[in-house]
Amino acid sequence: MFFDQFDKDAMRLIMDAQTEARNMGSKTIGTDHLLLAASLKHSDVREALEKAGLSNQVLRKSITGNDAFALPQLDKIFAATSKDELLPFALDTERSLRLALESKAGRLVSTKVLIVSVVEDVTATPNEESAARALLEALDVSHENLLVELRAERELVGAGAR
């Protein structure tokens, strides 16, 4: 994987997804962890996720099955902090990363391109295993509607013409 083709925000999202996966005791970084990480940073992607009903509290609770504000179990904290090695990507995450690289159109892959690729993979590969698909279905969120929200251009506040 050529991570030099991802911008700093997309790389931060991937690193945050790894942290979330590790803290949850996961052995791989899934697309559900990418969605959760995207919901944590203020951006147009987070706004689109929230508009679709995917706040970080809702996502965390759905992924862990626990209260979104509950502390992780002590054994998971120790397991997460005792290992410094990188977690591998789940197959659905690898597909999404490749799709993002294919659709970057000559620019660096942004957070938005990466998350759109996660949702597009859900739509394009209905018979493949996808943590994001399972998450969206469990929360009764339409991937098509989420794609519309993610692709919508947000109006910049205070960016009026002179």
Side-chain angles (χ1 to χ4, degrees):
M1 195 66 49
F2 301 100
F3 288 109
D4 60 337
Q5 296 180 52
F6 290 75
D7 71 15
K8 66 178 178 50
D9 293 329
M11 285 304 303
R12 179 83 248 166
L13 179 113
I14 292 167
M15 292 178 357
D16 289 347
Q18 176 175 261
T19 300
E20 292 297 330
R22 184 176 282 132
N23 288 342
M24 293 177 180
S26 179
K27 296 192 183 336
T28 60
I29 303 168
T31 50
D32 52 346
H33 301 119
L34 290 173
L35 289 174
L36 176 59
S39 74
L40 298 173
K41 302 286 186 232
H42 184 69
S43 67
D44 58 340
V45 172
R46 178 175 132 184
E47 289 176 25
L49 292 172
E50 287 178 349
K51 202 167 187 182
L54 299 173
S55 68
N56 61 42
Q57 296 91 352
V58 168
L59 288 167
R60 186 177 308 281
K61 184 174 182 177
S62 185
I63 294 168
T64 64
N66 296 325
D67 183 7
F69 296 106
L71 294 174
Q73 295 175 345
L74 206 49
D75 59 337
K76 288 185 180 179
I77 291 174
F78 288 128
T81 57
S82 67
K83 297 181 181 177
D84 285 335
E85 73 260 7
L86 299 174
L87 292 176
F89 294 116
L91 293 177
D92 59 336
T93 304
E94 287 182 18
R95 281 193 315 267
S96 294
L97 292 170
R98 283 189 178 91
L99 184 60
L101 285 170
E102 292 169 7
S103 63
K104 68 184 178 93
R107 298 182 302 263
L108 293 175
V109 174
S110 67
T111 298
K112 188 173 192 173
V113 168
L114 180 54
I115 296 302
V116 165
S117 295
V118 167
V119 180
E120 283 179 341
D121 179 63
V122 167
T123 306
T125 57
N127 297 322
E128 298 293 325
E129 187 175 322
S130 170
R133 177 184 298 106
L135 184 62
L136 295 175
E137 287 174 358
L139 296 171
D140 200 28
V141 173
S142 160
H143 10 95
E144 291 82 13
N145 291 344
L146 181 53
L147 276 174
V148 168
E149 287 300 326
L150 286 166
R151 290 179 175 145
E153 293 296 321
R154 306 286 182 232
E155 184 176 320
L156 296 174
V157 177
R162 291 184 181 201

